[in-house]
Amino acid sequence: MIPGRFITLEGGEGAGKSTLARALALRLGKNGRAVTTTREPGGSPKAEAIRQLILSGQVKDHGSFAEALMFSAARIDHIDSLIRPALERGTWVICDRFIDSTRVYQGTLGRVDAALLAELETVTIAGLMPDLTLILDLAPEIGLARAARRRRPGEAADRFEGETLAFHRKLRQAYLDIARMEPGRCAVLDATLPPDELAEAAWSILHERLPIEPDP
Ligand code: T5A
């Protein structure tokens, strides 16, 4: 039994995952839990280096399976160096994106064979499934506009932000499909809610699904 709890946040571009991760971490901390927030791709020095490579678009021409391999290589290092050790210490880990991003972006949208991707996932995570996955559901027009507003003047959209609106609409549906197929692990949140209300809704689900026991 790993004593920590593993929570992942998923959804389209600019849905508010990083903002929600910070709010949940604050609240868990106030409730006496050790907590760490992290992100994918990234979260460890080697994985951050892979992040730069993928999001710059340098791997795009090699195809979706190559991207899936790169995301998985980053994930293995992230799990080994940060996530698993934290959970084993009893720390709660909140991770901005994880396996569902690969399933949706490289699987559904990138059309990598589902069985192949499932095998890759199995060897990559070695049993480390999230205890809870919160899916932030938002019309892509709103999320992309939020992401664009946040960019510095002259900064280009990254590898996936630059995809078509049709791509982002399919992505939204693919996340909802995962939530429907795995209701025990996943919960969908309305990401049009203002940050405070979204955090409150997320906290209610977290509290219900992963009760926070008082320290013995
Ligand atoms: N990817 C990733 C794959 O293809 N496969 C994989 O396996 C993995 C792991 C990562 C990209 O890589 C792809 C998916 C992604 O395209 P990224 O830069 O980390 O790239 O992209 P995102 O995860 O989408 O991160 P963003 O920072 O763009 O979005 P967030 O974290 O969802 O949003 P956040 O919190 O930064 O907020 C964005 C803006 O909206 C405001 C914030 O203030 C901010 O300005 N905001 C809200 N506004 C109104 N209401 C709310 N509730 C708000 N919450 C935040």
Side-chain angles (χ1 to χ4, degrees), residues 82-190:
L82 189 148
I83 300 176
R84 203 183 290 276
L87 294 170
E88 284 172 354
R89 285 195 306 273
T91 297
W92 289 49
V93 176
I94 303 175
C95 188
D96 182 345
R97 296 194 181 280
F98 194 60
I99 48 169
D100 299 299
S101 289
T102 312
R103 291 182 185 185
V104 165
Y105 282 77
Q106 283 67 54
T108 311
L109 275 301
R111 298 202 184 141
V112 176
D113 177 72
L116 180 60
L117 214 53
E119 284 184 37
L120 181 61
E121 181 182 299
T122 300
V123 294
T124 300
I125 66 172
L128 191 79
M129 279 300 278
D131 296 299
L132 173 65
T133 296
L134 298 172
I135 295 176
L136 276 62
D137 181 52
L138 185 67
E141 292 88 337
I142 303 176
L144 289 168
R146 285 183 190 169
R149 267 200 301 277
R150 215 195 22 196
R151 281 200 289 276
R152 289 181 293 273
E155 190 184 349
D158 73 25
R159 156 75 182 90
F160 296 100
E161 284 168 7
E163 289 286 356
T164 63
L165 200 53
F167 174 100
H168 291 285
R169 287 191 177 128
K170 282 186 198 152
L171 197 107
R172 180 187 191 188
Q173 186 55 49
Y175 272 120
L176 294 175
D177 291 343
I178 290 177
R180 194 171 32 79
M181 285 184 295
E182 295 187 50
R185 172 174 69 90
C186 302
V188 178
L189 288 165
D190 174 5

Side-chain angles (χ1 to χ4, degrees), residues 11-20 22 39-41 51 55 71 75 96-98 101-102 105-106 146-147 150 158 160-161 191-195 198:
E13 313 291 318
K17 300 176 298 300
S18 325
T19 307
L20 179 60
R22 287 192 294 273
R39 68 170 181 184
E40 288 208 347
R51 176 189 175 92
L55 295 190
F71 280 115
R75 183 162 300 139
D96 182 345
R97 296 194 181 280
F98 194 60
S101 289
T102 312
Y105 282 77
Q106 283 67 54
R146 285 183 190 169
R150 215 195 22 196
D158 73 25
F160 296 100
E161 284 168 7
T192 61
L193 291 171
L198 183 63

